[in-house]
Amino acid sequence: MDAKQRVASARTAHFSNAEGIRGLACLIVLSGHGIAMFFPAAGHSLLGVGRFGVWLFFVLSAFLLTNHLLLDRITGARLIDYAVGRVLRIMPLYLLAIVVYWWLGTTGIHTWRDVFRAATLSAGYAHLWTIPVEMKFYVLLGTLIAPIAWIRQRLGLGLAVALAIGIGLLAIPLFPPSLAYTRITSLGWYVPCFMAGVALSLAYPSLPRPRSWIAASVSAAILAGMVAITNSVRVLYGGDPSPYWPFDKFVWISVAWTVLVSLNVDRRGLISRFWQTAPLRLVGRWSYPIYLFHWLVLMKFAHGYPGSASALAIAVTITIVFAAVCHKLVERPTMKLRPRISRLLERMAIPQSLPQRQAQ
């Protein structure tokens, strides 16, 4: 990109900085939980920081998945492949994590009933509450993507984007953010976060690309703003003293994250160097197993070595190394099964005797 404003003309399958943004989200979760576990006094003033990273995950995930689905026609075969991909991406490692936590503790999964409730996505335990929410969104997106794509093609991009935004806005009075903690695994509270990512994906190819210094300045302001609204900083300027203040601000925070994603997800030049750093990209690549298992490692080390910064550093290192092993031994082999399973299910769902056009 040069310094002039440009508009993208085609949808792309790859976003060069997505992995780095995912890495940032993962590091926010790791740092928030790590400090809270090892240094409870400081952690009390950082309540909710880990969720900032979760909400960034929600926005980025919705953006990337919607973009992937919109790369081609929405057919039965594509939706089958999408469903298979989501199940294989999430469930094998998640089920492994449930068994590990049942065995070693730290999340409240103590009985076989807990195992069953967690495995069937009917209850959330500790940080694992996000998995049922994500899986429910995948179902929602699979349901919405065909009508949204039809509206975009037949009635115009503006109406499709308005529909996505409208769904997000409609969820706010139906699921008031202030009550989100009462049913933590319900998707309804977080529909605005996800639909912000969907709306961005729809509009992204037509959005102007601001100059690099503008993108960098706005991005820095957003990140600084995230720091400024943490409990530890708000007290310095007379903010709300409630430690739970950030918990119901996910709608506005997700809007800010959406702007950050739009400015950086495929940005080249100076600002891209940050997102392209190898450590950040590796954390992003291994972010899912890091997220699943970091709680166990951090809790065990924090219990044995409370208040130790070196123990925290060791725990984070062990978490990342273990996640890399999980990625290589579980994630990658599992995802290689996706084409075979998709083709098998497609043959079962779509009779091969039908003409191709009718099958689609």
Side-chain angles (χ1 to χ4, degrees):
M1 288 289 178
D2 57 25
K4 293 184 178 180
Q5 207 176 56
R6 291 188 177 180
V7 175
S9 59
R11 190 169 293 278
T12 178
H14 175 73
F15 293 97
S16 58
N17 298 328
E19 215 166 52
I21 296 174
R22 190 181 290 114
L24 173 65
C26 188
L27 289 178
I28 293 173
V29 174
L30 264 178
S31 60
H33 288 169
I35 294 173
M37 292 177 187
F38 279 81
F39 309 97
H44 185 73
S45 64
L46 292 176
L47 282 173
V49 170
R51 297 193 178 205
F52 289 13
V54 168
W55 300 330
L56 177 53
F57 271 123
F58 285 173
V59 171
L60 183 63
S61 175
F63 171 82
L64 295 174
L65 288 173
T66 304
N67 180 78
H68 175 74
L69 286 169
L70 292 176
L71 284 171
D72 204 348
R73 289 185 57 197
I74 308 299
T75 65
R78 280 182 59 74
L79 290 177
I80 288 173
D81 181 67
Y82 162 77
V84 170
R86 291 300 86 202
V87 171
L88 291 179
R89 177 74 173 85
I90 300 299
M91 293 308 294
L93 268 180
Y94 175 60
L95 294 175
L96 175 62
I98 291 172
V99 173
V100 170
Y101 282 112
W102 167 76
W103 179 31
L104 298 176
T106 74
T107 60
I109 300 177
H110 301 303
T111 67
W112 283 111
R113 182 175 182 271
D114 293 328
V115 171
F116 176 79
R117 295 184 70 206
T120 56
L121 308 176
S122 58
Y125 294 85
H127 67 300
L128 298 179
W129 68 270
T130 63
I131 308 304
V133 173
E134 282 262 6
M135 291 299 291
K136 291 169 187 176
F137 167 70
Y138 299 153
V139 175
L140 176 65
L141 180 60
T143 303
L144 291 176
I145 194 63
I148 286 177
W150 184 89
I151 290 172
R152 182 193 61 161
Q153 182 179 3
R154 300 296 180 87
L155 304 179
L157 173 63
L159 191 58
V161 173
L163 175 61
I165 294 175
I167 293 172
L169 292 176
L170 180 63
I172 296 175
L174 295 177
F175 301 91
S178 60
L179 301 178
Y181 66 91
T182 60
R183 294 185 62 192
I184 198 169
T185 60
S186 295
L187 170 63
W189 314 111
Y190 302 102
V191 164
C193 308
F194 289 112
M195 296 312 296
V198 172
L200 175 61
S201 181
L202 286 164
Y204 188 78
S206 301
L207 292 178
R209 305 293 188 262
R211 297 181 179 184
S212 293
W213 70 268
I214 295 177
S217 300
V218 174
S219 300
I222 290 172
L223 294 176
M226 294 297 171
V227 174
I229 63 174
T230 60
N231 293 319
S232 57
V233 177
R234 283 189 305 105
V235 297
L236 300 179
Y237 55 85
D240 188 332
S242 170
Y244 296 97
W245 181 87
F247 279 55
D248 62 356
K249 305 302 185 296
F250 50 83
V251 174
W252 298 110
I253 291 175
S254 294
V255 171
W257 284 141
T258 302
V259 175
L260 182 90
V261 171
S262 70
L263 293 173
N264 293 277
V265 71
D266 203 30
R267 170 69 58 179
R268 292 170 176 81
L270 180 63
I271 195 173
S272 182
R273 294 179 185 176
F274 171 72
W275 304 113
Q276 291 292 323
T277 54
L280 196 61
R281 293 186 64 188
L282 286 175
V283 170
R285 187 176 307 163
W286 305 328
S287 59
Y288 184 49
I290 288 175
Y291 181 79
L292 287 178
F293 296 105
H294 79 280
W295 189 278
L296 173 66
V297 181
L298 293 179
M299 285 286 282
K300 292 294 186 181
F301 271 78
H303 179 74
Y305 308 94
S308 172
S310 58
L312 172 56
I314 293 171
V316 169
T317 302
I318 291 175
T319 298
I320 294 174
V321 171
F322 181 71
V325 173
C326 287
H327 175 75
K328 182 175 182 178
L329 299 183
V330 180
E331 276 194 297
R332 289 176 59 185
T334 301
M335 290 307 295
K336 287 181 180 179
L337 298 174
R338 177 176 178 172
R340 297 179 184 179
I341 297 176
S342 296
R343 285 194 295 268
L344 175 62
L345 293 177
E346 182 182 346
R347 286 195 295 268
M348 294 172 61
I350 304 175
Q352 296 301 296
S353 59
L354 294 177
Q356 183 66 23
R357 180 177 297 179
Q358 184 178 350
Q360 293 181 345

